[in-house]
């Protein structure tokens, strides 16, 4: 299965000034989902790559700052990657997808909670499946540490980042 980037979204959400949220997404990404033999979920695999320069928060100046060495440093670390190490059913069609997330040259294990949202055949005969996924990471664990203290206390950018996935995948004939 190949991830269809035209019908998928890799998004994130982070606290700003301790009381608001900034949301954004990455527009350039690719990935594949490989099912285990005879549909064995436990033997399945997920691999994905995101081009960090495609970040879009709806505010050009902020996006440039996020691409800079203060944050992602896209010149040195142009991609974010995910490679699953385990796929486990949790019940009711939900999955726990554990894998290695690499951001800013740092790899950490993360768990994505994934739900299949449906499947079907599109008007052109392609078999498709939909998934949603979510996890929360501490950006400091990936050496993304830039911040500013606020006069009123607290920090400008929250440390916890919620990653949200809306994925549509197309079965590939091999």
């Amino acid at each position: 299965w190949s991830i269809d980037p035209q019908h998928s979204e890799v998004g994130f959400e982070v606290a700003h000034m301790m009381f608001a949220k900034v949301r954004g997404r990455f527009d350039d990404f690719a990935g594949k989902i490989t099912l285990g033999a005879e549909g064995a979920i436990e033997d399945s695999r997920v691999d994905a790559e995101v081009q960090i320069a495609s970040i879009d928060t709806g505010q050009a100046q902020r996006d440039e700052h996020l691409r800079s060495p203060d944050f992602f440093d896209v010149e040195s670390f142009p991609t974010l990657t995910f490679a699953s190490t385990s796929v486990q059913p949790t019940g009711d069609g939900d999955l726990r997808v554990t894998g290695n997330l690499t951001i800013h040259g740092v790899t950490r294990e993360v768990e994505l909670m994934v739900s299949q949202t449906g499947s079907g055949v599109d008007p052109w005969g392609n078999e498709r499946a939909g998934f949603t996924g979510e996890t929360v990471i501490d950006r400091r664990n990936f050496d993304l540490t830039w911040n500013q203290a606020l006069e009123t206390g607290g920090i400008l950018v929250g440390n916890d980042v919620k990653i949200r996935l809306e994925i549509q995948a197309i079965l590939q004939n091999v």
Side-chain angles (χ1 to χ4, degrees), residues 1 34 171-174:
W1 294 80
T34 306
L171 181 62
Q172 302 298 302
N173 294 325
V174 248

Side-chain angles (χ1 to χ4, degrees), residues 9 13-14 16-17 34 55 73 107 116 143 148 157:
E9 183 172 287
E13 177 180 291
V14 64
H16 182 256
M17 293 191 64
T34 306
I55 195 166
D73 190 5
T107 302
Q116 185 170 1
D143 289 342
Q148 286 187 327
V157 181

